[in-house]
Amino acid sequence: MPTTIPIGLNVNGIRHELNVEPRWLLVDVIREQIGLTGTHIGCEHGVCGTCTVLVNGETARSCLMLAATADGAEITTVEGLSTGETLHPLQAAFREAQGLQCGFCTPGMLMVAHELLRENRSPSEQEIRESISANLCRCTGYQGIVDAVGLAASSQASAPAAR
Amino acid sequence: MATTERRWIGKDIPRLEDPKLLAGRATYTDDVKLPGMLHTAVLRSPHPHARIARIDTSRARALPGVFAVATGEDAKEMTNPLPAFCAEPVVQYCLAVDKVRFVGEAVAAVAAVDRYTAEDAVALIDVEYEPLPVITDPFEAMKPGAIKLHDPLPSNLAFEKTLSFGDVAADFAGADRVIRRKLRWHRASAQPLETAGAVCRYDPITQKMDVWSNTNMINYVGWLIANTIKVPAAKLNIYPMYVGGSFGSKHVLGKIIGIASMLAKRSGRPVKFMEDRVDNLIASENLACDRFYDAELAVAKDGVFKSIRVKVVDDYGAYFQFGHGTHGNALAQVTGPYRMGSFEYTVQCVLTNKCQQGVFRGAGSDAGNFCLERLVDAAAQELGIDRVEIRRRNFIAPDRFPFKTPCGNVYDSGNYPAVLDRALEMSGFAELKRMQAEARAQGRYVGIGLATAHQRSVYGPTEFWFWYDSPGLTTAPESVGLSLGPTGEFVVTMFSPFWGNSPETVVAQTVGEEFGIDPSQVTVTYEDSQHALPGAGPGGSRMTVMLTGAVAGAARKLKDKLSRIAAHQFEAAPEDIVFADGGAMVKGSPDKSMSYGDLGLKAYWYKLDLPPGMESGLEARHTYDHPYLTKPSADRKDLGAFYPMMAHGAHVPVVEVEPATGRVRFLRYVAVHDVGTIVNPKSLRGQITGGITQGIGMALYEQSAYDADGQPLTASFMDYLLPTAQEVPRFEIGHVETPSPFTEYGVKGGGEGGRMIAPAAIASAVEDALAPFGVRVDEVPLTPERIVKLVEAARR
Amino acid sequence: MKPPRFDYLAPRTLDEALAHLHHHGDQAKILAGGQSLIPMLNFRLAHPGVVVDVNRLTDLAYVRQHDGGVAVGALTRQHAVERSELVRARVPVVAEACRFIGHAPIRHRGTFGGNLAHADPASELPAVMVALEAEMAVASRAGSRAIPAGQFFIGPLTTALQPGEMLTEIRIPAAPPRSGGAFVEMARRAGDFALVGVAALVTLDEAGQCARARIALCGVGPTPVRARAAEDALVGQAPTTAVLDEAADRAAAATSPPSDVHGSAEFRRKLARHFARQALAAAIQRSGGR
């Protein structure tokens, strides 16, 4: 039997105790052992960003992280954005502005956009493009995504409570 | 502009597909998990051309966690050759048999407990190769005496033909000038973010093979796949999946399904094979056109185009699976929006030691548009006629439709001057010219591009075979099921996969339009192939036309039944029943109405209230065939109508080029498309901006490159460059709508237009930017180095 | 594309890490940010026997004042360096260069030391360290030593680090008054590896003449290229157009660029000339000169 090591991951607020092979990538542990398949695999060399999650609150490419390194970390995936039937305001903005087509890049894009809006409450178009250029989309040509993030920003601005 | 007032068709409604995609809850192929499922890794050839002398899989088989290993010898026994779209068989199995013919060709496959272990096992497979001479240059490969890739074939020239329409010789003889260009369109790759894959589960007792795969054409060529994997066609069941983009690269996936099915049979467990990114880059079933054009445009001195002669050599790579379909569809629009009376098209399809071609959005018409529009710009320059004016002079006039082209294909409708006018207006063309002059005075190289080009939609299957003398298939349908349940809820059942286009939204909007209900109330579901009706699935910009047609057909059937139920209820005539506001009513008598809930309950539970002889239930299934397809003549002088839904667009990109570095920056990008009646404006706009972005990729960034020894140079996303949000501008999109007379609602397809037109427009823009140097742009992609070299050459 | 099997150690202190490295010698590979190592593992281009995960050595993540300049702990994330007020104030060209490293998610994990120890010839930071004449503090069980940046990078993906050694700190001196620095780069797309990058630092004297110049390029040789002949063309001269042109020419002549699908050696050399010129002009402007 290959050697495994025990790790603990806090994913979307739930603690998971797992035994992982040291070489297992965080994205595979999220998808397979934890069973959250919203985080996707697109390239496995850190270029496309479909595997993007939040690790301790910061975006990171989960295909470039060993699950073992993430021991003890707080991970947020796309499943952690929406609660029950309600879409997160950012997801609602993506729907309104049609910031998606096939949906494969979308979870990663949402994490990057989420972080951007947390750090910059009214980003310019150029700032949005710079931020989302970390993630590839092959369907939209990015315009719907840029519009979605802009829409979310302005909704956020007029909303009473910070998210 | 559309003259019909519609309630839902043409409206921006939020997509039905989006909530689950946004929540990360859609099931893509890699999300499928079955008990006991194994994972596959594939050993791929490091040689571009070699005999397989010996394969030793013993060490791989012995690795704990490995359940099955297969090689080409197993493929020969357990599978049949892959289905091919060409008449001359170029035999190909899902694993290489006896020989490898390109770097990356699959040689062996392993199924193991997880992908990590499968890759460990692949590293333990020993293969002895006997390298053979490598052929990468298609011109060398064509020569008699060149080393043959396939022994049974007479040569590497897999296919060669000239088709000629009208009096080409006379039109050229009578021309005042012949514009000639040699053009190069490099090989690119669709590279959707989701790679291709399949999960296969085999039951040896019932011989049933279940397949979950992001493949397409499930209910079109499914029976051919069954033959490939040696399963009775009636026992093959394919589930349409949510697909993370395809752009043509996931049409058949015979190799992937072949490998997974073999390993499933052999291991006795379900087997998943997902390509990884390297697999997809170097061994995809669907790389794109790799063309050398030598083309001539015969013109009169007043700028009128008389004829065009296109000679093209296309490097198909090692196999010919999809045949010359990428030339067939290009024939639909060789003469573009222009009035020429004749044309000649000579194609030579050559095999070389590279990964094979398939189709990638545009599918050959993208390259064809590049060829034609480069010639048109060249004609304008050589004749000293303004390039906007020369196009106007040659446009088919709006009152000439339906228009029969020299080869027999029909253009259903169009208004090319209106599209051009709108593009010029939106771009502020005159002001752009002033801005350009100012920029030039400052030593900046700003260029304004123009392309007015066609985007054919809804392929007719005759284009797969009219290059040959013997006939072939003439069906390309799409089907839906439509039911109204006892609670008044409409359900549409689809049989083809979701690719990122918006099929659920389109069918919901159509149901909404037909029955007067809110589309968000419609439930859409998918059915597997054992329960499906015929359908060729997405691709070729057909889905919106075909789905609206299928739903309209099913709606007519359902309304027929509903009106008879309502008429029976109210003692009225069925012709007097109308559908609006959530139910059916007698025209002019709003008190005589039944909601869909009432109708549904009645139909399912109150048989004795139904007209005598009527079956209970409310379901209609409809197969919508190609709305306008005719056979080619026996002598192939008239190819018939095969792509008559002819959409069109005009693009005006504005770029700045830095001659010292070759960098290209977009200042603006205006695109006006006419795709007939628009169903969902935002969705269409997304297809256009996405398509143009892929066109920018083709024009400036993307090439599936090989070195002279056949080694792939772009085997990762660090080298095969997809544009990011910083490489593309905000697009200004405009629309004109000339409805099709042949489709439901007058819809045409618009999914490919962005990529079919943008490379020509961007080439035009870069050439215009570098006009002070006298640069001619004849090649895409225009990498920075190619641009710098063009400038240097022009300076010398 | 999954990593091959390896043994895994996750030390909690530097001493523990150094003990592991000593014990496993050249079988050991340090895993810090993983943004360079893990792709290599996924491609199975690297087959380390033992991976020593140093992410728990949080004491090695810091940015501190040092002798007027800054000292950066090797495990500091690139993002933190880019955002550091201290770095922006004292060695701003470092923060400028960090912004070219991939994208933010990569910089959240990638470490300053890891990038340098990886020594990719196209990486920005090695060239910047060479231009700034930084010093690499290296530790092993035997003790510690300091290696000047100019001697640290010895080949593609090869540094002066011996088996058993680990980079712990990078000390970057501040520039004298009337200095300006710039980092410029051309890549095929935003965030890609540089085709060519240039780090330039110039110091002017009271007369506005160039008193000191440091120029290093990335992407144009097996290691960062320190363009000393270009520097010589500047020192003691007024920074005129002709002088900058000459310096840029010499910088290009000092390169031995690779050829690949993104550009031939000849093309990269042209770019080197173009961007050296640009970097020098920007550095001069920032030093207060014209």
Side-chain angles (χ1 to χ4, degrees):
Chain A
M1 285 294 296
T3 331
T4 60
I5 56 175
I7 66 168
L9 296 178
N10 185 309
V11 183
N12 300 331
I14 296 174
R15 174 140 178 104
H16 298 266
E17 309 274 349
L18 305 158
N19 285 306
V20 301
E21 283 190 44
R23 62 173 170 164
W24 287 355
L25 302 171
L26 179 60
V27 66
D28 287 328
V29 169
I30 289 171
R31 289 177 54 78
E32 306 292 330
Q33 278 70 31
I34 295 175
L36 295 171
T37 57
T39 305
H40 297 141
I41 293 176
C43 74
E44 294 178 299
H45 49 288
V47 180
C48 76
T50 64
C51 66
T52 307
V53 297
L54 298 183
V55 176
N56 296 331
E58 287 183 324
T59 52
R61 282 143 156 54
S62 63
C63 75
L64 295 191
M65 219 169 149
L66 301 181
T69 303
D71 181 21
E74 300 211 352
I75 315 274
T76 309
T77 70
V78 65
E79 290 90 344
L81 281 185
S82 51
T83 45
E85 281 179 37
T86 324
L87 293 180
H88 186 279
L90 181 58
Q91 289 166 318
F94 266 68
R95 184 161 194 223
E96 171 69 31
Q98 232 192 76
L100 69 159
Q101 287 177 29
C102 81
F104 201 74
C105 79
T106 305
M109 281 289 181
L110 286 169
M111 307 319 286
V112 164
H114 177 76
E115 181 177 68
L116 171 68
L117 292 178
R118 204 182 57 205
E119 295 179 357
N120 183 342
R121 293 186 63 85
S122 56
S124 65
E125 168 143 357
Q126 181 49 38
E127 285 169 328
I128 295 173
R129 283 183 183 268
E130 196 175 309
S131 163
I132 68 170
S133 69
N135 289 43
L136 296 177
C137 173
R138 199 51 165 160
C139 292
T140 64
Y142 303 105
Q143 193 145 314
I145 299 173
V146 172
D147 290 344
V149 178
L151 181 63
S154 55
S155 311
Q156 191 177 268
S158 54
R163 300 211 181 269
Chain B
M1 288 304 294
T3 50
T4 319
E5 251 324 295
R6 297 195 176 98
R7 178 72 184 86
W8 294 109
I9 302 279
K11 298 292 185 292
D12 272 327
I13 68 156
R15 294 199 324 166
L16 270 68
E17 294 87 342
D18 287 350
K20 59 184 165 304
L21 297 171
L22 287 162
R25 290 186 187 283
T27 303
Y28 298 93
T29 303
D30 195 25
D31 302 336
V32 171
K33 289 202 233 280
L34 301 173
M37 188 176 76
L38 303 172
H39 298 256
T40 306
V42 169
L43 175 67
R44 297 189 177 280
S45 168
H47 295 283
H49 200 196
R51 266 186 221 297
I52 300 171
R54 194 180 60 88
I55 306 184
D56 182 355
T57 59
S58 53
R59 290 195 298 144
R61 285 173 208 277
L63 187 69
V66 171
F67 281 75
V69 180
T71 67
E73 289 306 301
D74 300 309
K76 249 185 8 188
E77 179 201 311
M78 296 173 73
T79 68
N80 283 316
L82 299 174
F85 281 65
C86 53
E88 306 91 8
V90 177
V91 172
Q92 184 180 29
Y93 284 88
C94 60
L95 292 173
V97 172
D98 297 334
K99 261 176 89 170
V100 291
R101 296 177 175 87
F102 65 95
V103 170
E105 185 162 11
V107 170
V110 173
V113 289
D114 57 45
R115 175 80 188 215
Y116 294 75
T117 306
E119 292 188 17
D120 294 341
V122 161
L124 295 175
I125 299 176
D126 301 311
V127 185
E128 204 179 293
Y129 295 99
E130 288 162 7
L132 295 166
V134 175
I135 287 252
T136 55
D137 180 334
F139 295 95
E140 288 303 313
M142 277 200 283
K143 289 184 177 159
I147 177 102
K148 278 199 296 181
L149 264 73
H150 297 268
D151 295 323
L153 298 183
S155 79
N156 297 318
L157 184 56
F159 182 77
E160 169 175 45
K161 186 129 187 177
T162 298
L163 289 177
S164 192
F165 306 96
D167 198 338
V168 177
D171 285 339
F172 267 81
D176 291 320
R177 199 178 178 108
V178 173
I179 314 290
R180 186 174 182 192
R181 283 291 185 274
K182 292 190 174 189
L183 303 158
R184 183 80 178 91
W185 175 281
H186 284 280
R187 203 185 205 82
S189 180
Q191 295 307 305
L193 287 198
E194 185 210 26
T195 58
V199 178
C200 288
R201 181 180 66 193
Y202 184 64
D203 182 339
I205 303 296
T206 59
Q207 289 186 70
K208 184 176 183 227
M209 180 73 78
D210 282 305
V211 179
W212 292 260
S213 172
N214 45 34
T215 189
N216 188 31
M217 298 190 168
I218 291 166
N219 303 301
Y220 196 45
V221 303
W223 57 280
L224 293 174
I225 298 284
N227 178 58
T228 296
I229 65 174
K230 289 194 173 176
V231 158
K235 304 280 171 60
L236 173 63
N237 192 24
I238 308 178
Y239 293 83
M241 305 298 297
Y242 271 76
V243 179
S246 166
F247 319 111
S249 69
K250 290 173 173 154
H251 273 309
V252 178
L253 300 187
K255 288 199 272 286
I256 288 168
I257 296 171
I259 288 170
S261 70
M262 276 188 357
L263 293 171
K265 281 183 178 176
R266 183 159 273 188
S267 67
R269 290 169 54 152
V271 171
K272 172 188 283 183
F273 174 31
M274 289 302 302
E275 284 182 325
D276 63 32
R277 185 53 59 184
V278 174
D279 290 330
N280 196 256
L281 280 164
I282 69 173
S284 165
E285 303 199 341
N286 286 285
L287 296 191
C289 316
D290 194 345
R291 295 186 176 176
F292 300 78
Y293 281 98
D294 185 348
E296 295 172 301
L297 185 68
V299 301
K301 59 174 173 292
D302 65 355
V304 169
F305 308 150
K306 297 291 193 198
S307 182
I308 182 170
R309 231 188 234 136
V310 176
K311 290 199 187 87
V312 53
V313 170
D314 207 342
D315 178 350
Y316 269 82
Y319 293 97
F320 203 40
Q321 187 179 349
F322 290 88
H324 33 56
T326 55
H327 294 279
N329 84 84
L331 286 183
Q333 54 177 74
V334 172
T335 50
Y338 311 117
R339 250 186 347 265
M340 293 175 251
S342 66
F343 78 81
E344 187 171 277
Y345 194 100
T346 301
V347 63
Q348 292 177 302
C349 303
V350 189
L351 303 180
T352 63
N353 291 121
K354 297 176 189 143
C355 181
Q356 70 179 61
Q357 277 192 39
V359 288
F360 174 20
R361 199 177 197 175
S365 292
D366 44 355
N369 281 345
F370 173 71
C371 173
L372 177 58
E373 288 297 283
R374 295 282 67 227
L375 286 170
V376 169
D377 272 359
Q381 271 164 36
E382 289 188 32
L383 295 171
I385 299 175
D386 174 75
R387 60 189 164 147
V388 172
E389 180 50 38
I390 204 172
R391 286 169 164 89
R392 280 196 205 285
R393 227 170 263 184
N394 284 282
F395 277 158
I396 298 161
D399 61 357
R400 299 291 312 280
F401 293 88
F403 179 87
K404 189 159 167 138
T405 67
C407 71
N409 188 40
V410 170
Y411 296 165
D412 55 354
S413 66
N415 190 339
Y416 312 140
V419 174
L420 175 59
D421 286 341
R422 184 100 185 88
L424 296 176
E425 180 204 348
M426 281 177 67
S427 62
F429 207 72
E431 179 52 39
L432 281 180
K433 301 279 256 299
R434 262 192 297 280
M435 182 274 286
Q436 179 184 48
E438 276 167 27
R440 280 195 176 138
Q442 294 164 8
R444 292 168 54 211
Y445 296 89
V446 170
I448 306 161
L450 176 64
T452 55
H454 273 2
Q455 31 168 332
R456 83 287 175 278
S457 65
V458 196
Y459 61 80
T462 54
E463 57 130 329
F464 302 144
W465 55 265
F466 56 45
W467 292 93
Y468 304 114
D469 294 326
S470 33
L473 72 165
T474 52
T475 306
E478 203 60 44
S479 308
V480 295
L482 177 63
S483 69
L484 174 58
T487 55
E489 293 168 77
F490 283 89
V491 178
V492 178
T493 304
M494 308 228 288
F495 309 110
S496 292
F498 158 87
W499 265 15
N501 48 353
S502 311
E504 298 173 29
T505 307
V506 165
V507 303
Q509 281 182 265
T510 310
V511 170
E513 191 67 46
E514 290 286 328
F515 290 95
I517 60 159
D518 189 316
S520 65
Q521 302 305 306
V522 176
T523 299
V524 180
T525 183
Y526 294 84
E527 185 58 271
D528 60 39
S529 67
Q530 277 190 319
H531 304 94
L533 289 176
S541 303
R542 67 190 295 273
M543 220 44 181
T544 306
V545 168
M546 298 306 289
L547 286 175
T548 49
V551 171
R556 275 189 286 276
K557 290 174 178 169
L558 208 59
K559 279 176 176 177
D560 175 69
K561 190 163 182 179
L562 286 168
S563 37
R564 286 188 286 126
I565 294 173
H568 185 73
Q569 172 84 7
F570 296 120
E571 292 169 359
E575 313 78 77
D576 292 334
I577 304 296
V578 295
F579 297 90
D581 300 324
M585 68 176 215
V586 177
K587 207 185 310 185
S589 307
D591 55 304
K592 293 187 177 168
S593 70
M594 288 175 76
S595 68
Y596 289 123
D598 295 337
L599 285 160
L601 198 59
K602 181 99 17 187
Y604 280 90
W605 277 45
Y606 293 93
K607 162 67 184 160
L608 296 184
D609 290 353
L610 299 178
M614 180 181 277
E615 290 175 7
S616 335
L618 276 172
E619 188 182 350
R621 282 151 73 94
H622 187 73
T623 298
Y624 181 67
D625 285 297
H626 193 292
Y628 185 1
L629 177 73
T630 61
K631 278 190 187 164
S633 63
D635 64 0
R636 300 295 189 261
K637 280 301 175 191
D638 183 336
L639 300 180
F642 57 99
Y643 247 120
M645 272 60 80
M646 191 54 71
H648 175 80
H651 287 201
V652 180
V654 184
V655 302
E656 178 160 0
V657 181
E658 200 175 34
T661 62
R663 285 192 290 202
V664 177
R665 190 166 71 96
F666 285 94
L667 302 180
R668 285 181 68 194
Y669 201 115
V670 170
V672 177
H673 282 215
D674 178 357
V675 301
T677 302
I678 299 172
V679 175
N680 187 306
K682 253 189 208 152
S683 179
L684 173 65
R685 197 172 320 132
Q687 291 290 309
I688 295 173
T689 55
I692 297 175
T693 297
Q694 290 181 350
I696 290 173
M698 184 68 221
L700 301 175
Y701 296 98
E702 297 181 37
Q703 185 177 339
S704 293
Y706 286 81
D707 68 16
D709 300 318
Q711 291 295 324
L713 298 174
T714 49
S716 83
F717 268 171
M718 293 179 290
D719 295 321
Y720 190 86
L721 304 176
L722 305 189
T724 74
Q726 292 203 70
E727 279 73 58
V728 304
R730 174 157 288 273
F731 302 106
E732 300 162 63
I733 310 294
H735 296 288
V736 170
E737 284 180 78
T738 52
S740 172
F742 304 124
T743 64
E744 288 296 340
Y745 307 110
V747 180
K748 302 188 202 189
E752 289 169 280
R755 189 173 182 278
M756 289 206 312
I757 303 174
I762 296 166
S764 167
V766 172
E767 187 173 276
D768 190 55
L770 299 176
F773 299 106
V775 159
R776 262 170 41 173
V777 170
D778 296 329
E779 183 176 13
V780 281
L782 289 156
T783 62
E785 181 157 11
R786 282 188 184 135
I787 289 178
V788 167
K789 284 194 164 129
L790 282 173
V791 172
E792 287 175 350
R795 272 174 162 152
R796 276 198 283 277
Chain C
M1 289 159 59
K2 309 295 184 192
R5 207 167 272 165
F6 47 77
D7 289 334
Y8 175 82
L9 298 163
R12 305 209 152 257
T13 67
L14 178 58
D15 284 343
E16 225 184 292
L18 295 175
H20 289 321
L21 293 176
H22 173 82
H23 183 75
H24 294 286
D26 61 9
Q27 278 301 294
K29 196 85 182 95
I30 295 172
L31 171 64
Q35 306 301 285
S36 301
L37 177 60
I38 297 190
M40 291 181 68
L41 291 173
N42 290 351
F43 279 115
R44 297 205 175 198
L45 292 173
H47 294 263
V50 182
V51 166
V52 180
D53 185 333
V54 296
N55 283 287
R56 282 159 192 73
L57 306 185
T58 50
D59 288 350
L60 290 183
Y62 56 83
V63 178
R64 294 181 188 139
Q65 304 188 51
H66 177 84
D67 252 5
V70 298
V72 181
L75 206 67
T76 315
R77 309 287 167 181
Q78 291 148 13
H79 177 80
V81 175
E82 179 204 334
R83 298 281 177 104
S84 156
E85 290 300 334
L86 206 52
V87 169
R88 288 177 173 194
R90 296 186 175 198
V91 284
V93 69
V94 174
E96 188 175 24
C98 279
R99 304 205 61 233
F100 286 96
I101 303 174
H103 298 278
I106 289 172
R107 301 195 292 270
H108 288 155
R109 299 297 312 163
T111 63
F112 200 73
N115 183 293
L116 294 170
H118 183 67
D120 190 308
S123 274
E124 296 83 357
L125 292 181
V128 176
M129 295 303 105
V130 166
L132 295 181
E133 293 185 321
E135 192 176 67
M136 316 300 197
V138 170
S140 69
R141 237 184 44 165
S144 54
R145 63 187 180 115
I147 308 175
Q151 292 164 29
F152 187 74
F153 306 99
I154 56 183
L157 306 183
T158 314
T159 67
L161 288 169
Q162 296 301 308
E165 286 190 315
M166 183 171 134
L167 184 58
T168 52
E169 179 180 85
I170 300 91
R171 297 189 272 264
I172 308 167
R178 276 191 302 277
S179 292
F183 182 84
V184 297
E185 157 179 324
M186 175 169 158
R188 290 295 301 278
R189 295 172 304 182
D192 282 346
F193 279 109
L195 283 171
V196 174
V198 184
L201 194 73
V202 297
T203 307
L204 303 183
D205 64 23
E206 291 105 354
Q209 298 206 318
C210 182
R212 199 176 84 131
R214 300 281 181 272
I215 304 161
L217 301 93
C218 64
V220 290
T223 63
V225 172
R226 173 88 186 257
R228 288 185 190 274
E231 296 167 4
D232 293 342
L234 286 161
V235 171
Q237 304 289 335
T240 62
T241 303
V243 164
L244 294 188
D245 284 347
E246 172 66 23
D249 287 343
R250 290 189 188 187
T255 62
S256 47
S259 276
D260 65 18
V261 71
H262 302 299
S264 66
E266 189 197 321
F267 177 61
R268 283 176 149 100
R269 196 167 283 123
K270 286 184 193 128
L271 293 178
R273 201 263 173 225
H274 178 88
F275 287 102
R277 185 68 177 76
Q278 198 175 309
L280 284 171
I284 301 232
Q285 205 215 23
R286 289 173 186 173
S287 69
R290 280 176 288 105

